[in-house]
PDB file of all heavy atoms in Angstrom:
ATOM      1  N   LEU A 101     291.953 169.117-236.467  1.00 85.00           N
ATOM      2  CA  LEU A 101     292.524 168.235-237.473  1.00 85.00           C
ATOM      3  C   LEU A 101     293.573 167.331-236.844  1.00 85.00           C
ATOM      4  O   LEU A 101     294.316 167.755-235.954  1.00 85.00           O
ATOM      5  CB  LEU A 101     293.178 169.049-238.598  1.00 85.00           C
ATOM      6  CG  LEU A 101     292.256 169.929-239.428  1.00 85.00           C
ATOM      7  CD1 LEU A 101     293.073 170.770-240.402  1.00 85.00           C
ATOM      8  CD2 LEU A 101     291.242 169.082-240.179  1.00 85.00           C
ATOM      9  N   ASP A 155     268.301 179.411-256.928  1.00 97.00           N
ATOM     10  CA  ASP A 155     266.952 179.928-256.656  1.00 97.00           C
ATOM     11  C   ASP A 155     266.990 181.266-255.927  1.00 97.00           C
ATOM     12  O   ASP A 155     266.165 181.530-255.044  1.00 97.00           O
ATOM     13  CB  ASP A 155     266.125 178.908-255.858  1.00 97.00           C
ATOM     14  CG  ASP A 155     265.835 177.649-256.660  1.00 97.00           C
ATOM     15  OD1 ASP A 155     265.674 177.760-257.894  1.00 97.00           O
ATOM     16  OD2 ASP A 155     265.785 176.553-256.060  1.00 97.00           O
ATOM     17  N   LEU A 168     283.954 175.499-253.173  1.00 97.00           N
ATOM     18  CA  LEU A 168     284.675 175.054-254.373  1.00 97.00           C
ATOM     19  C   LEU A 168     286.082 175.634-254.437  1.00 97.00           C
ATOM     20  O   LEU A 168     287.023 174.948-254.837  1.00 97.00           O
ATOM     21  CB  LEU A 168     283.880 175.388-255.630  1.00 97.00           C
ATOM     22  CG  LEU A 168     282.618 174.543-255.823  1.00 97.00           C
ATOM     23  CD1 LEU A 168     281.757 175.118-256.939  1.00 97.00           C
ATOM     24  CD2 LEU A 168     282.975 173.091-256.088  1.00 97.00           C
ATOM     25  N   LYS A 254     292.592 173.690-267.544  1.00 83.00           N
ATOM     26  CA  LYS A 254     292.567 172.597-268.513  1.00 83.00           C
ATOM     27  C   LYS A 254     291.371 171.706-268.170  1.00 83.00           C
ATOM     28  O   LYS A 254     291.394 171.006-267.159  1.00 83.00           O
ATOM     29  CB  LYS A 254     293.874 171.813-268.401  1.00 83.00           C
ATOM     30  CG  LYS A 254     294.229 171.023-269.596  1.00 83.00           C
ATOM     31  CD  LYS A 254     295.638 170.464-269.436  1.00 83.00           C
ATOM     32  CE  LYS A 254     295.998 169.610-270.604  1.00 83.00           C
ATOM     33  NZ  LYS A 254     297.259 168.935-270.429  1.00 83.00           N
ATOM     34  N   ARG A 259     287.827 160.561-270.899  1.00 60.00           N
ATOM     35  CA  ARG A 259     288.512 159.275-270.987  1.00 60.00           C
ATOM     36  C   ARG A 259     289.442 159.073-269.786  1.00 60.00           C
ATOM     37  O   ARG A 259     289.479 158.022-269.196  1.00 60.00           O
ATOM     38  CB  ARG A 259     289.294 159.189-272.300  1.00 60.00           C
ATOM     39  CG  ARG A 259     289.850 157.806-272.577  1.00 60.00           C
ATOM     40  CD  ARG A 259     290.720 157.780-273.841  1.00 60.00           C
ATOM     41  NE  ARG A 259     292.095 158.121-273.489  1.00 60.00           N
ATOM     42  CZ  ARG A 259     292.717 159.270-273.748  1.00 60.00           C
ATOM     43  NH1 ARG A 259     292.109 160.228-274.377  1.00 60.00           N
ATOM     44  NH2 ARG A 259     293.951 159.468-273.389  1.00 60.00           N
TER      45      ARG A 259
END
Side-chain angles (χ1 to χ4, degrees):
L101 296 174
D155 294 326
L168 289 169
K254 202 172 177 187
R259 189 185 88 254

